Amino acid sequence: MRPMSDEATGERAREDESADGPAVPQEGEAGPHAGAGHGEPDKSAKKTEDAPAPSRAEVSNYEIVEHWFGVAAERLELPDDVGAVLRSSYREVQVQVPVRLGDGKVHVFSGYRVQHNGARGPYKGGIRFHPEVDLDEVRALAELMTWKTAIVNLPYGGAKGGVNVDPSKLEKTELQTVSRSFMDKIEKVLGPTRDIPAPDVGTNAQVMAWLMDEYGKLHGHTPACVTGKPIALEGSYGREAATGRGVVQMFQEAAKEIDLEPAEARFVVQGFGNVGSWAARLMQELGATMVGVSDASGAIAAEDGIDAETLAEHMREGGNVADFDGSTGGIDPDDLLAIECDVFIPAALGGMIHKDNAERMNCRMMVEGANSPTTPSADSILNDKGVTIVPDVLANAGGVVVSYFEWVQNLQHFRWDEEQVNERLGKIMRRAFSEVAERAKKNGTPMRPAAYELGIERVVEAASTRGYI
Ligand code: NAD
């Protein structure tokens, strides 16, 4: 068995009564904006600094992932000792990232890389730059990657990394310095056969290029050491859109189950970043209509639709959702969830759909682009309301699938065209959907517990075959 980190066990969610397995973690009062701003929608355009953020649950990402692991472990009758190995991380690295910024002062950020489980292959997972990044969050996201890569059957383990820096406050040169400094501190635990980072919130292809370049200074040119790179630097065609494309492919599969015609679907996107904007554009290509959208700056809505292409263009030019004028105007971000629609796509941060706002949701289906957007309490409220949920561990796996393709292409020094990438992505995503949906039907459960069961079972099989457990 591989050694376990001392700190890795973490705290289980509070144990309260629950019919379907371990207790649902109880959420504290919702975040600082809870209860505020539920009055008349403000139709005026909002500025980034003033915009209220929608409330977030206090239940942590870690508690959310641990809850679902517990539900699946119980159903699988996993022995406690095996559960203890799978709950904890293999390695947790925390580093100091001191960087001299434009104000002439040295600022010290904290960087993390957590490798959760490597039974099925090298660790794989994104790097997040966000002021709220901490060890608990990175640990949760790393564990989620272990189940996700197993659910879509990729030969990878799970990892995640991050730095608690706000990239929107940095000049480009400062962002480069932070990226390179972080790579210098963690390169020893990375590499194409060990652990391969990719983009996540607050990072992009440019950041991956700097990370690859920094790694190359120490190890020689190694494109397979990170994925999500620019096309000019051996990135894969289709990687940028891959997570959003996978979300839409999962929507298409789930739509069949509820007799929803994609061209007639009305959808809402929470978080118009990489995942959200690609999902929106590809939904629009199917003929669907975006009736509400948000980002960190604010939210907008329009009965007769907001053009996702024009909004994406507006963002590329440095705009944000709140100052986009192609709609009827701004709404309170908390009211985004209440918009009547067929499909709600969370594509921002974790814990944004929680017990205090889930009841207000007015959709038939939710396809989780974000990681852990829904707390267990909210999940059970939505299930009671009859909402079909395609869970994060399946719905947003498109990114890691095409990252896998990029890694394979880099190792072979051979490039596939975009058509090949998209077609292979669809094949893997559709197969995973049908495996999860079939299991859910057989068990009489929603898709989320079925997906976790499938992932955990595959990891247990690999770990025991190797002789780890
Ligand atoms: P991103 O940084 O490109 O986009 C995040 C978006 O969320 C931004 O538009 C930001 O303004 C918005 N946002 C932040 N706070 C918000 C708030 N309070 N309300 C509304 N919007 C808010 O990041 P991304 O890569 O698109 O990732 C989004 C989510 O998808 C994350 O949960 C991430 O972990 C998950 N994910 C990403 C990938 C990927 O390939 N990029 C893969 C799998 C999962």
Side-chain angles (χ1 to χ4, degrees):
M1 193 169 72
R2 284 183 173 192
M4 276 191 291
S5 153
D6 286 339
E7 327 171 45
T9 318
E11 279 215 331
R12 285 299 326 279
R14 248 193 284 158
E15 302 287 331
D16 285 289
E17 291 303 310
S18 165
D20 62 349
V24 172
Q26 295 303 296
E27 297 161 32
E29 293 303 310
H33 301 280
H38 282 285
E40 282 296 295
D42 172 8
K43 298 283 182 191
S44 61
K46 294 180 174 67
K47 291 196 186 73
T48 307
E49 316 83 78
D50 308 328
S55 53
R56 285 178 68 185
E58 282 190 5
V59 57
S60 71
N61 281 3
Y62 187 73
E63 285 170 315
I64 295 174
V65 177
E66 279 306 287
H67 170 78
W68 293 116
F69 176 83
V71 170
E74 200 168 292
R75 288 186 54 91
L76 292 169
E77 297 180 4
L78 213 62
D80 285 350
D81 54 348
V82 173
V85 175
L86 298 183
R87 259 195 189 102
S88 52
S89 324
Y90 167 61
R91 181 188 275 143
E92 299 185 338
V93 180
Q94 177 169 352
V95 295
Q96 188 189 51
V97 186
V99 181
R100 190 174 300 281
L101 298 182
D103 61 5
K105 293 190 182 130
V106 176
H107 294 246
V108 184
F109 302 105
S110 296
Y112 308 90
R113 186 71 183 170
V114 172
Q115 297 168 337
H116 174 257
N117 186 293
R120 292 175 45 86
Y123 301 97
K124 187 88 189 81
I127 289 185
R128 180 174 287 200
F129 285 178
H130 190 276
E132 284 169 29
V133 162
D134 60 20
L135 183 57
D136 195 55
E137 179 179 71
V138 176
R139 194 184 268 157
L141 292 164
E143 181 175 338
L144 210 56
M145 285 304 296
T146 299
W147 314 134
K148 194 182 299 181
T149 51
I151 290 162
V152 288
N153 221 347
L154 301 179
Y156 283 139
K160 204 80 180 188
V163 178
N164 65 347
V165 65
D166 185 349
S168 68
K169 301 229 161 76
L170 299 182
E171 297 295 333
K172 193 172 176 190
T173 50
E174 295 172 331
L175 185 60
Q176 177 171 179
T177 311
V178 170
S179 306
R180 288 185 184 278
S181 173
F182 181 48
M183 175 53 94
D184 287 342
K185 306 289 165 18
I186 59 167
E187 54 80 23
K188 283 189 178 58
V189 299
L190 303 182
T193 59
R194 280 178 197 277
D195 182 354
I196 307 117
D200 191 72
V201 173
T203 58
N204 54 20
Q206 173 62 80
V207 172
M208 296 306 115
W210 292 324
L211 295 179
M212 180 196 79
D213 187 70
E214 196 63 22
Y215 187 87
K217 284 181 186 168
L218 299 155
H219 302 273
H221 180 57
T222 319
C225 73
V226 289
T227 59
K229 300 179 295 294
I231 297 296
L233 288 173
E234 300 188 54
S236 175
Y237 291 115
R239 173 60 185 89
E240 196 198 318
T243 308
R245 189 177 299 279
V247 165
V248 175
Q249 287 163 342
M250 296 299 87
F251 153 71
Q252 288 175 283
E253 294 309 294
K256 290 179 201 158
E257 312 240 325
I258 61 164
D259 282 331
L260 172 63
E261 182 51 54
E264 283 160 19
R266 295 163 66 76
F267 67 97
V268 169
V269 173
Q270 180 185 54
F272 199 77
N274 171 286
V275 177
S277 71
W278 276 109
R281 280 174 276 177
L282 295 165
M283 288 288 284
Q284 199 166 284
E285 267 183 27
L286 298 176
T289 307
M290 181 162 75
V291 291
V293 60
S294 70
D295 71 358
S297 72
I300 57 175
E303 267 284 306
D304 46 2
I306 300 159
D307 186 60
E309 283 293 349
T310 318
L311 178 57
E313 183 58 37
H314 169 75
M315 307 287 275
R316 268 196 297 276
E317 286 164 3
N320 57 43
V321 166
D323 63 22
F324 180 62
D325 61 6
S327 75
T328 52
I331 57 166
D332 187 307
D334 279 339
D335 290 334
L336 189 84
L337 277 81
I339 295 174
E340 189 182 347
C341 61
D342 298 297
V343 192
F344 189 91
I345 303 176
L349 302 173
M352 294 187 68
I353 299 161
H354 48 80
K355 72 171 172 46
D356 294 322
N357 61 19
E359 200 59 65
R360 299 187 70 213
M361 290 190 75
N362 207 351
C363 58
R364 292 176 67 194
M365 183 198 296
M366 181 162 75
V367 189
E368 294 181 338
N371 282 315
S372 302
T374 314
T375 66
S377 316
D379 183 87
S380 87
I381 292 169
L382 293 172
N383 279 316
D384 289 348
K385 280 162 77 87
V387 176
T388 299
I389 301 175
V390 187
D392 50 4
V393 275
L394 171 64
N396 68 32
V400 71
V401 171
V402 177
S403 272
Y404 165 62
F405 295 162
E406 182 174 331
W407 178 72
V408 167
Q409 292 169 78
N410 292 158
L411 293 174
Q412 298 180 348
H413 302 284
F414 185 76
R415 188 167 249 173
W416 307 350
D417 60 32
E418 188 165 357
E419 221 180 332
Q420 251 177 316
V421 169
N422 293 344
E423 193 200 310
R424 287 177 195 219
L425 167 65
K427 215 166 164 182
I428 291 183
M429 294 299 291
R430 283 190 290 274
R431 187 191 58 210
F433 184 94
S434 87
E435 285 174 341
V436 170
E438 214 168 279
R439 187 170 193 133
K441 273 184 202 135
K442 195 166 127 231
N443 291 352
T445 66
M447 274 194 276
R448 195 188 311 274
Y452 268 77
E453 280 176 38
L454 183 66
I456 292 169
E457 230 171 48
R458 287 179 175 161
V459 173
V460 168
E461 188 189 353
S464 62
T465 312
R466 273 182 192 257
Y468 286 179
I469 53 175

